[in-house]
Amino acid sequence: MRLVAYRLACRDAGCAVKTAGANAMKRCACLLMAAVTVAAQAPVVTVNGQQAPQGLAIAQSDTKQQPARPPTESERRRAVKLYLAGSKLYENQHFEQALEDYREAAKLDSTNGDYPLAAEVALGHAVTALLQSAAQNRTRGDRAAARAALERVMELDPQNASVAERLRQLADDATAPNILALPSREPLLGGLDHLEPTPGLHSFHVRASQRQVIQQVFRAWGIEAAVDDSVRGNVVRLDLDDTNFADAVHVLSMLTNSFYVPVDPHRALVARDSRALRQQYTRSGLETLSLSGLTATEMTDVGNMARNVFEIQQASVDATAATITLRAPESSLNAFNATYRDLTEGRSEVLIDVRLIQLAHNNARNTGVTPPQTVTAFNVYAEEQKILNDNQALVQQIISSGLAAPGDTLTILGILLASGQVSSSIFSNGIALFGGGLTLSALSPGPVNFNLNVNSSDSRELDDFQLRLEDGEEGTLKSGTRYPIQTSSFSSLSSNSLNIPGLTGAGTSGALSGILASLQGASASIPQVQFQDLGLVLKATPRVMRSGDVALNVDLKISALAGSAVNGVPILASRAYSGVTTLRANEAIVIASEMDRNESRAVSGYPGLSEIPGLNNITDKNTAKSDSTLLIIMTPRVVRNAHGLGHTPMIPVDRSVTR
């Protein structure tokens, strides 16, 4: 085989060197080496009385049927270019495009027999890739894609015998019932034959030996039971009313410590339940599963899973045929098939739309009149004398300048107050006089305030998030801030430290002595800070059920600062919600709603008078209202469903019985 590949490569080298050089020789040699390898694995046919690979025989027969016509120089160069372009496409695994280039090159230069041979090699690889794609699509349940791939194979290779068989299998899959029977309560103790008891309910009130009770129970449903000698003859009592076959056999197996193996639909073998007898009487099934689309490593992993997890010791993986053959009891085969089906299907994916709607309204209003809260009473003569005594220098200046006579007290006081040199709080709000002479007194009320103030604010916020999760995967959504909280602090109280010259000691520099002296009495304090999530923390775990509904496991927590602290550590206020809700796909649901409302009111006025209806509107009123609403709306959308509604068989299984 190596000699044939070398000669074919050398024969093509002559035309390739003229255009592309040594690289074309290497590429052609590698391609033709692969061609001979594939041809060696193909079925053997007879050509001129000798056996040869099928691909090579076809190339030779085509060459003999078409008379060689000397191509022109331009056709030869064009054929070489197409051949090299097809080789690049072949290396990149674009087999169908390479096949077209090879066939076009063979038409241009019919004297070169390497072009038809390369076309046959590319055709084989293209057909193999399409067949593998069809097998994978059939395993996933995509019959349309599988049929399209097989039809493409028919177009490329109409003589392919395996296409018709695969199309027939697709037709069988389409007409087969799409229902997998639910597990029966009847103990499946091995074997591929199942009993067919007659329908109906029966009652038993029997006291006899175990062998007689077993035969009587089986005979009630038209089944003959052959009891093994291992079953003891102890006397037992069985009392059952209106029971079916599955429940009766289940009670009988616990009562007599036995198990049964179906021989045919109307006969069964009953023996004592022990490990040795189960291995002796239980029949195994021989099953072959297709592993199309898996790599060699993945096939090996599937075989190891069958041996180690399901304890199927007789498991053989054929990497060439992409199959695995198992020999085990039916219960083990069913468990392995269910697990392998789940692995190939994968898990469903859910896209959860989360919307947070926050509405806040704050209103503060301060209206009305604040009457004087205090009134000051004083003697006018005493207050005048106090002002004159405190400002004697100014009084002398006023008299000397001729602005007022020496005894004109009121004029002097007026000038002092008007000049601004003297000020008194009793004159800022006005006074009311009463009395006369030395008893002349005055009242000074406090300030009066007129309030007319309104402050209102509205805020609306909409946050839209999306969580893409697999079935059973937990996703976390956080909206808010991370607030640092000091939990503890560490400080060094020791005065002794390491003495490292140049680092903790002064060394040879005089400037370091002063720096070290200033640092020796100080102690470093290192705080320990923990970041706390403030705001919303939402955890969701979706579960896609067979009915198409989605079950959401929701864990919600809202944290905020409470506004107070203990020893410098702030207090957190939190609210939490946890629950499970089931809803249809693409259906929105409000999973949480929070509403806070605060209202405060303050009245300023006179006691009693401000409490009279009607008069209290004149006094000052300071009111504050705040409303806040939070809505959390979630909408699950199933973007990928690994299995359709109900139970659907997804893998081809060929099962037979072994004794």
Side-chain angles (χ1 to χ4, degrees), residues 527-547:
Q528 302 293 328
V529 178
Q530 178 181 357
F531 287 89
Q532 181 68 31
D533 293 331
L534 298 183
L536 174 67
V537 178
L538 176 64
K539 296 182 180 180
T541 305
R543 299 281 185 181
V544 181
M545 296 183 289
R546 291 285 181 178
S547 60

Side-chain angles (χ1 to χ4, degrees), residues 36 270 276 286 372 413 422 441 461 553-554 563 577 579:
V36 174
V270 182
L286 183 63
L413 288 175
V422 177
S441 301
E461 183 177 357
N553 189 350
V554 181
Y577 164 79

Side-chain angles (χ1 to χ4, degrees), residues 324-371:
I324 180 173
T325 302
L326 307 174
R327 186 178 184 275
E330 185 180 10
S331 57
S332 300
L333 296 179
N334 292 336
F336 176 82
N337 292 340
T339 303
Y340 178 63
R341 183 180 299 114
D342 292 338
L343 292 177
T344 54
E345 291 174 354
R347 292 190 292 177
S348 301
E349 292 184 1
V350 180
L351 181 66
I352 304 177
D353 291 334
V354 183
R355 291 189 177 184
L356 305 180
I357 301 177
Q358 303 180 49
L359 305 177
H361 174 71
N362 297 321
N363 183 274
R365 185 185 298 267
N366 188 6
T367 58
V369 178
T370 304

Side-chain angles (χ1 to χ4, degrees), residues 568-617:
V569 179
I571 299 177
L572 301 181
S574 62
R575 298 178 181 179
Y577 164 79
S578 179
V580 180
T581 179
T582 303
L583 62 159
R584 298 178 181 176
N586 304 324
E587 181 179 274
I589 183 174
V590 179
I591 64 168
S593 176
E594 180 186 11
M595 179 178 293
D596 292 335
R597 174 173 294 180
N598 298 322
E599 183 176 356
S600 62
R601 180 179 180 181
V603 179
S604 298
Y606 296 132
L609 183 63
S610 299
E611 300 175 357
I612 299 176
L615 295 179
N616 54 3
N617 295 327

